[in-house]
C-alpha cells in the first residue's frame, strides 16, 4: 500500500507503508538534509506538518527524546522517524541549505511557547511610546536620562507582566507587548485593557511623587491596542531567540499608538479589540480615523486622557 505526501512548494511523492518520510523523499530526488544519516541524532530532517497530522505514526522514543531536548511543538516531526498511515498529508522541509543547518543547529530550547517556525495565534497587541522624552533628554545629564528610562520601564514592565502580558520588543523610548499567549483572546484583550488603565494611573502617581518633584518634568505616553491573528515565533537571529509577533494586526496597533497624537488621547483602542471588553460600566468616547495602509474609516475608543497643553504643543 502506498500514500501520497505533498512537500509544500516542491512536489507530491509516493510513500510506501512502513517507509519513513525521509526515505521516500530521498528516493523521489528531494535534497532532504539528514546530517546524522537518519538516526534521530540530529534534527536537520525536521518537517513542519501543515495538514494530515492524524495520518502520521506516533513519535517513537528517539523522536520524543529529541523533541523534549529542543522543545519542538507537535507540528514538527523528524522525517527519519515518521511513517504515513493515510493520504492527504502536506509537509514542509525546514532545513533547505547549509545556512539553515548552521542557524537551526544552534537553536536550543527556551522557556517560550512558540519555537522556530512560528504559529498562528489570536493576540492582543499593545504598543506604547513615551510622548515627551526627547525634551527630557535635552535638558538632563545622560546618567539621569538612563536612570529615568529605567524607572519608567519598570512601571511599564510591572503592569504588563502583572496582567499576563509579555513585552516583545523595546525601541528607544517605547515598546510593544502581547497578551493572550496562554489564554483565549477575550481574556487577553481584557488583561491588556486593565494593564493600560493601571499603567496610566501608576505613571500619573510617578509623575506627582517623583518626576515632577526631582526633575520638574511630567511624562506622558501614547498607547495603541488592537487584536487579531498573528504569526508568533522565535526568529533566532544568531544573537538570541527573541519571541516576535508579525502580521497586519501588529501594524494596526502601531498606527493606533501613533494616532494618539492627532486624537489627543493617551489610550486608543480599536473597535474590534474593544468589542471583547467585559467592562459594561463605562461609555468611552469614540472617534473615526483613517489609518495608513487601510481602506475606509476605522472606529476607535478613547480610553485615556488628553495631553497637557505643553506636551500637545510639542506634538504639533
Amino acid at each position: 500500500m502506498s500514500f501520497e505526501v505533498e512537500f509544500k512548494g516542491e512536489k507530491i511523492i509516493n510513500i510506501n507503508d512502513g517507509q519513513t518520510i525521509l526515505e521516500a523523499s530521498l528516493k523521489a530526488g528531494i535534497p532532504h538534509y539528514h546530517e546524522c544519516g537518519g538516526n534521530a541524532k540530529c534534527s536537520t530532517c525536521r518537517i513542519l506538518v501543515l495538514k494530515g497530522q492524524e495520518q502520521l505514526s506516533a513519535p517513537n522514543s528517539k523522536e520524543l527524546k529529541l523533541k523534549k531536548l529542543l522543545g519542538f511543538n507537535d507540528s514538527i516531526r523528524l522525517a527519519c522517524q515518521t511513517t504515513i498511515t493515510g493520504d492527504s498529508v502536506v509537509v514542509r522541509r525546514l532545513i533547505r541549505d547549509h545556512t539553515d543547518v548552521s542557524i537551526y543547529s544552534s537553536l536550543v530550547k527556551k522557556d517560550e511557547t512558540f519555537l522556530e517556525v512560528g504559529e498562528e495565534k489570536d493576540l492582543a497587541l499593545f504598543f506604547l511610546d513615551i510622548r515627551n522624552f526627547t525634551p527630557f533628554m535635552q535638558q538632563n545629564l545622560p546618567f539621569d536620562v538612563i536612570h529615568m528610562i529605567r524607572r519608567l520601564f519598570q512601571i511599564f514592565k510591572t503592569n504588563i507582566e502583572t496582567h499576563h502580558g509579555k513585552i516583545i520588543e523595546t525601541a528607544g523610548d517605547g515598546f510593544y507587548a502581547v497578551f493572550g499567549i496562554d489564554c483565549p483572546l477575550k481574556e487577553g484583550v481584557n488583561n491588556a485593557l486593565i494593564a493600560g488603565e493601571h499603567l496610566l494611573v501608576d505613571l500619573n502617581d510617578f509623575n506627582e511623587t517623583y518626576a515632577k518633584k526631582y526633575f520638574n518634568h511630567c511624562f506622558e505616553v501614547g498607547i495603541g491596542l488592537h487584536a487579531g491573528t498573528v504569526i508568533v515565533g522565535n526568529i533566532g537571529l544568531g544573537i538570541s531567540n527573541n519571541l516576535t509577533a508579525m502580521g497586519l494586526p501588529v501594524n494596526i496597533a502601531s498606527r493606533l499608538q501613533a494616532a494618539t497624537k492627532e486624537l489627543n488621547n493617551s489610550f486608543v483602542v480599536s473597535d474590534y479589540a474593544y468589542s471583547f471588553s467585559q467592562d459594561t460600566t463605562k461609555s468611552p468616547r469614540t472617534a473615526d480615523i483613517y489609518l495608513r495602509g487601510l481602506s475606509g474609516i476605522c472606529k476607535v475608543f478613547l480610553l485615556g486622557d488628553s495631553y497637557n497643553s505643553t506636551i500637545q504643543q510639542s506634538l504639533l
Side-chain angles (χ1 to χ4, degrees):
M1 182 180 296
S2 66
F3 309 101
E4 285 190 344
V5 176
E6 178 184 350
F7 276 76
K8 192 72 172 180
E10 297 186 85
K11 62 172 66 175
I12 297 174
I13 68 170
N14 290 315
I15 180 169
N16 296 324
D17 189 23
Q19 188 178 32
T20 67
I21 295 176
L22 176 62
E23 290 169 343
S25 65
L26 291 173
K27 185 176 180 180
I30 294 176
H32 206 143
Y33 273 83
H34 54 295
E35 293 288 298
C36 72
N39 296 305
K41 293 183 179 180
C42 75
S43 63
T44 56
C45 73
R46 76 185 76 167
I47 52 174
L48 175 65
V49 183
L50 302 173
K51 181 181 178 183
Q53 190 164 325
E54 70 280 0
Q55 306 282 24
L56 304 182
S57 61
N60 59 26
S61 59
K62 290 181 179 180
E63 188 175 5
L64 288 172
K65 181 178 179 180
L66 203 60
K67 177 181 178 180
K68 182 178 180 181
L69 176 65
L70 297 179
F72 291 162
N73 60 46
D74 291 340
S75 62
I76 298 178
R77 298 295 304 270
L78 293 183
C80 70
Q81 302 298 309
T82 305
T83 59
I84 304 295
T85 61
D87 286 316
S88 302
V89 175
V90 182
V91 301
R92 185 171 72 228
R93 288 189 299 133
L94 296 178
I95 310 294
R96 293 174 176 266
D97 56 30
H98 285 297
T99 300
D100 283 344
V101 172
S102 64
I103 291 174
Y104 284 99
S105 293
S106 67
L107 292 175
V108 295
K109 183 178 179 181
K110 297 291 182 181
D111 293 328
E112 303 287 4
T113 305
F114 306 92
L115 295 175
E116 303 183 20
V117 296
E119 294 182 10
E120 282 193 337
K121 181 72 176 175
D122 292 330
L123 296 177
L125 298 315
F126 184 109
F127 274 74
L128 178 146
D129 185 70
I130 303 174
R131 281 283 166 259
N132 56 336
F133 200 75
T134 298
F136 180 81
M137 288 195 298
Q138 294 171 338
Q139 298 166 11
N140 289 274
L141 297 172
F143 178 86
D144 291 331
V145 171
I146 295 298
H147 168 72
M148 189 59 73
I149 199 74
R150 284 174 175 163
R151 290 293 300 261
L152 288 168
F153 268 79
Q154 186 58 47
I155 294 173
F156 304 155
K157 184 173 182 288
T158 297
N159 274 280
I160 296 300
E161 295 183 351
T162 297
H163 297 94
H164 312 292
K166 182 175 182 61
I167 294 178
I168 296 293
E169 181 179 314
T170 61
D173 52 10
F175 69 87
Y176 86 88
V178 297
F179 293 77
I181 286 181
D182 298 314
C183 65
L185 179 59
K186 183 175 183 177
E187 183 178 344
V189 170
N190 280 278
N191 285 339
L193 289 168
I194 296 171
E197 292 175 359
H198 287 190
L199 186 153
L200 292 174
V201 171
D202 288 349
L203 178 61
N204 184 62
D205 290 342
F206 174 74
N207 281 329
E208 293 299 320
T209 61
Y210 191 86
K212 185 186 295 185
K213 180 178 180 181
Y214 296 110
F215 293 92
N216 193 33
H217 194 88
C218 285
F219 293 96
E220 299 274 13
V221 298
I223 301 171
L225 178 64
H226 185 49
T229 304
V230 297
I231 301 297
V232 190
N234 288 338
I235 56 177
L237 294 179
I239 300 172
S240 62
N241 294 336
N242 293 327
L243 191 69
T244 191
M246 295 181 290
L248 180 59
V250 177
N251 296 336
I252 293 174
S254 176
R255 289 163 188 167
L256 288 173
Q257 180 272 117
T260 58
K261 299 177 183 179
E262 62 181 275
L263 293 170
N264 190 23
N265 193 277
S266 58
F267 193 4
V268 175
V269 181
S270 70
D271 182 36
Y272 178 66
Y274 196 76
S275 69
F276 292 97
S277 175
Q278 296 174 319
D279 189 347
T280 59
T281 64
K282 298 178 181 177
S283 298
R285 293 188 298 120
T286 63
D288 294 327
I289 61 172
Y290 289 97
L291 294 179
R292 181 171 53 86
L294 298 180
S295 60
I297 296 176
C298 299
K299 180 181 178 181
V300 296
F301 287 77
L302 309 179
L303 304 187
D305 299 316
S306 299
Y307 296 116
N308 67 49
S309 58
T310 302
I311 294 173
Q312 185 62 19
Q313 285 291 329
S314 70
L315 298 179
L316 298 178

